[in-house]
Amino acid sequence: MKTAVWAIAGLVILTLSGQTIAGEITEKLDVHITERVRLVTWDNAISLGIHRGVEEEHPPHLKEHAFTRHRTQLGATWKPSDVFHFKMQLANEFRYYVQPSYYDFTWNEIFIDQLSIKLIQPGDLPLTATIGRQNIILGEGFVVMDGSPLDGSRSIYFNALRLDWDLGQKRTLSAFAMYQEETDDFLPVLNEKNQPLLEQTELGLGAYVTAPVGKTKLDLYYIFKRADSSEAIPVTSHIHTLGARADAEFSGGLRTVLEGAVQLGDRGDYNRAGFGAHGYADIKVAGLN
């Protein structure tokens, strides 16, 4: 709790400094705040039941729901040099329920959404290293995008180390290692509510290669994930994912994207396998942006 308070106080001081100190320091400091508001309504969408839900007769999951979601993000990025960048961002998302009306209005957690150091070509090496809490979206996020799915779109961060190598000739190699817990116990949280982030604590490793093949950008990747046994799911899982993505451009403004991935692994004493794919095509029409 005290650590979180100090973190918030430090960010406020950093914000004020960025506004009041002239010259070189302000040019290296970027402060931002974003606010997102959403309205969500559904009628028996979870159970797909036909009851409209009288409070005395039906449990909460059978009732109509209507609420607003308010997400606030306050962050700063400090770039004292071309090599070293530091980023910190706090976030909160609370909900105000119109229906059911018996939900009390309360603030949710104020948590550290981003806290990372980025090293760009350290020692003139052709790579970028990002260390700490960060967002990682590979490709279009088909396999790697959201590190905390149980909190909805409140956050998508990973606690991770990511390395991006420039291999030349428009070829790149990205490698990462991540560790995610069921709740945010890794960094301090203000107004902690033990918000679920995952069903099981997860460890992940991955490599993602991008290379041009003619006019097509081809991505190949391998990802390993281990999900540890938890109280809710008392089995350990291991998942290996192999995938490819092709992004091709043709004459006439036509662009097509196709991606597919195969997963193999186990869940306790059982083996399992799966396959997923998606694709689309778009076309640029002359005179339209």
Side-chain angles (χ1 to χ4, degrees):
M1 177 73 73
K2 291 182 180 179
T3 305
V5 172
W6 279 112
I8 295 171
L11 187 58
V12 171
I13 293 172
L14 192 62
T15 303
L16 294 177
S17 299
Q19 295 174 344
T20 57
I21 299 177
E24 187 175 341
I25 294 180
T26 55
E27 292 178 358
K28 297 176 180 178
L29 181 65
D30 176 35
V31 179
H32 65 271
I33 183 170
T34 61
E35 182 71 25
R36 186 189 69 188
V37 179
R38 289 181 174 177
L39 172 64
V40 181
T41 64
W42 71 66
D43 183 3
N44 299 331
I46 296 178
S47 66
L48 301 180
I50 62 174
H51 303 289
R52 291 195 58 81
V54 179
E55 186 168 328
E56 293 77 13
E57 297 179 4
H58 303 293
H61 69 276
L62 294 182
K63 296 177 173 38
E64 302 92 334
H65 283 69
F67 56 90
T68 55
R69 296 174 56 176
H70 306 258
R71 189 186 71 180
T72 305
Q73 296 173 325
L74 172 63
T77 302
W78 182 43
K79 301 178 181 179
S81 70
D82 294 335
V83 176
F84 180 86
H85 294 178
F86 173 78
K87 182 177 182 179
M88 179 177 180
Q89 178 171 284
L90 303 178
N92 169 274
E93 183 180 70
F94 67 88
R95 300 184 181 188
Y96 178 77
Y97 277 84
V98 179
Q99 179 68 26
S101 59
Y102 52 76
Y103 283 129
D104 293 331
F105 168 75
T106 57
W107 284 93
N108 205 280
E109 298 177 336
I110 299 176
F111 63 98
I112 300 175
D113 186 37
Q114 303 285 299
L115 185 64
S116 65
I117 294 173
K118 179 178 287 188
L119 301 176
I120 303 172
Q121 295 184 350
D124 293 329
L125 296 173
L127 64 85
T128 297
T130 308
I131 308 164
R133 182 162 291 181
Q134 58 188 284
N135 293 344
I136 299 178
I137 301 176
L138 298 180
E140 293 168 310
F142 180 60
V143 175
V144 177
M145 184 186 74
D146 191 349
S148 55
L150 292 188
D151 71 348
S153 59
R154 184 188 79 150
S155 66
I156 61 172
Y157 66 76
F158 291 87
N159 301 309
L161 165 64
R162 175 175 177 173
L163 301 174
D164 296 289
W165 280 276
D166 183 354
L167 303 178
Q169 299 181 340
K170 297 182 179 181
R171 297 175 298 168
T172 61
L173 168 63
S174 297
F176 67 90
M178 70 86 177
Y179 178 77
Q180 304 289 99
E181 296 185 316
E182 296 174 50
T183 58
D184 191 0
D185 298 324
F186 202 71
L187 291 175
V189 175
L190 186 65
N191 193 33
E192 186 170 1
K193 295 182 177 295
N194 291 318
Q195 166 69 49
L197 304 177
L198 296 168
E199 294 92 344
Q200 299 169 272
T201 296
E202 295 181 353
L203 171 69
L205 303 168
Y208 196 98
V209 178
T210 297
V213 180
K215 294 184 178 181
T216 300
K217 188 176 88 169
L218 181 64
D219 300 342
L220 301 173
Y221 54 87
Y222 165 76
I223 299 165
F224 167 77
K225 184 175 77 171
R226 185 193 73 200
D228 294 336
S229 174
S230 67
E231 184 177 350
I233 306 177
V235 294
T236 299
S237 295
H238 302 86
I239 301 174
H240 302 269
T241 301
L242 289 167
R245 176 179 181 270
D247 186 339
E249 294 187 4
F250 302 91
S251 60
L254 176 64
R255 173 174 174 250
T256 62
V257 176
L258 180 64
E259 182 171 1
V262 175
Q263 288 188 329
L264 302 171
D266 58 65
R267 188 174 188 270
D269 296 329
Y270 297 93
N271 295 327
R272 61 181 178 180
F275 172 78
H278 80 107
Y280 62 88
D282 58 40
I283 188 169
K284 293 182 179 179
V285 179
L288 296 178
N289 293 325

